Amino acid sequence: MRRPADANRVRIAHIYELSTSRTVADAYSKSFPEIELVERAMDSMTQLIALLDDRLDVAILRVTPQMLADQPKGWDHTLLRLEPMRLVGRIGDQKRPHASLFERPLEVFGDDTDSGLYNAHGDYLTAFEQEAGIRMQWLGTPGAFSHCLTIIQRATVPGFLLEFDSYALRYASEGLPVHDPIELRPHYPWSIAWRDGQLSKATGDFLEIAHDTATRHNWQILEQSDGSPWLPSDDPVAQELGRTRP
């Protein structure tokens, strides 16, 4: 992965099949088809390490307080998207716009603190458990959407899956009901990060396309509905927005 700087290449990474980085990458490729995009799969912490080690040019990730404490210099970041989280029901459930977080057991595809794979996503889920007063069932991280879908399709007991909007739309296309939570409306904060110093033109253009994409899709606005918008109280993005727990 370690190669000399190339003015005609931008190195990025994706987190599983979530849509944020893919949407930005598609917009960039459409505007700059002559620039090569080198794309890999990495979680948030791995992306930051790769960025600081000059193995990525930009990172699209969740920034945590621990990241800022451990790596206070050498990079910068800004909010890209506040992705709402939704509740996915079971096959055959009634389709309705809203459901309670406390109505059924709440599940999540995530790796808990004892898994050895705990990451920025797990940190977010832990904060939600603690601040919302909900104990979730952590199902691990099976990876591709097809694996997640199979697990939910073969579930035999009632439950709701707390899921990214990116995936919730795909569950809905497979016939599963998707609801907005009533009490709290969790949003997952995605940021875009880059190294300090002189940026290549291609990387600067990528950051500009990312900003324009976020603006066009209204990504940086907390969805308002029956539930109060929620971010972890210590989240850097919450502080960036001047918000704390509702």
Side-chain angles (χ1 to χ4, degrees):
M1 293 175 64
R2 201 184 282 274
R3 295 173 60 183
D6 187 337
N8 296 312
R9 187 182 76 233
V10 177
R11 299 163 297 173
I12 68 170
H14 303 288
I15 297 180
Y16 298 111
E17 299 174 69
L18 299 171
S19 67
T20 301
S21 57
R22 168 57 51 210
T23 301
V24 175
D26 289 347
Y28 180 79
S29 291
K30 183 176 180 180
S31 296
F32 298 95
E34 72 280 6
I35 303 297
E36 178 189 7
L37 270 181
V38 179
E39 305 170 64
R40 294 181 172 86
M42 300 180 186
D43 67 17
S44 290
M45 189 65 238
T46 305
Q47 283 198 49
L48 177 57
I49 293 170
L51 179 72
L52 293 173
D53 201 29
D54 195 17
R55 291 181 284 119
L56 289 179
D57 297 305
V58 295
I60 295 178
L61 72 174
R62 182 192 169 221
V63 177
T64 69
Q66 192 64 49
M67 288 180 185
L68 297 176
D70 292 343
Q71 305 288 348
K73 298 180 180 179
W75 63 296
D76 204 351
H77 61 92
T78 190
L79 173 65
L80 179 63
R81 183 182 186 185
L82 295 164
E83 182 170 7
M85 306 288 283
R86 309 196 188 278
L87 299 176
V88 180
R90 304 292 200 228
I91 294 175
D93 282 353
Q94 177 185 0
K95 293 185 178 181
R96 49 196 167 107
H98 302 96
S100 171
L101 290 164
F102 301 92
E103 181 179 328
R104 294 179 176 181
L106 193 60
E107 304 164 338
V108 66
F109 286 120
D111 298 305
D112 62 22
T113 53
D114 297 327
S115 67
L117 299 170
Y118 192 67
N119 54 23
H121 179 226
D123 177 82
Y124 174 91
L125 298 174
T126 296
F128 184 69
E129 282 190 321
Q130 294 173 348
E131 297 187 27
I134 299 174
R135 180 63 179 170
M136 296 187 290
Q137 297 179 14
W138 294 54
L139 304 179
T141 305
F145 173 77
S146 58
H147 298 313
C148 299
L149 176 64
T150 298
I151 291 171
I152 297 305
Q153 286 177 329
R154 67 182 180 219
T156 58
V157 296
F160 285 133
L161 176 69
L162 182 66
E163 188 58 276
F164 292 93
D165 183 65
S166 302
Y167 271 17
L169 294 173
R170 297 179 69 177
Y171 285 113
S173 69
E174 297 288 341
L176 278 75
V178 174
H179 321 287
D180 292 330
I182 295 172
E183 296 83 6
L184 292 175
R185 196 67 175 283
H187 288 70
Y188 197 86
W190 297 104
S191 295
I192 188 165
W194 60 94
R195 282 186 307 282
D196 288 345
Q198 184 68 38
L199 298 176
S200 70
K201 181 180 183 304
T203 299
D205 288 339
F206 190 94
L207 294 175
E208 185 173 345
I209 289 291
H211 172 76
D212 292 346
T213 302
T215 301
R216 186 170 64 255
H217 291 283
N218 295 316
W219 274 354
Q220 297 165 327
I221 298 174
L222 290 165
E223 282 194 4
Q224 301 294 327
S225 64
D226 293 341
S228 300
W230 180 88
L231 289 168
S233 58
D234 67 343
D235 195 284
V237 166
Q239 298 172 11
E240 186 178 337
L241 293 173
R243 297 185 61 89
T244 56
R245 178 183 175 185

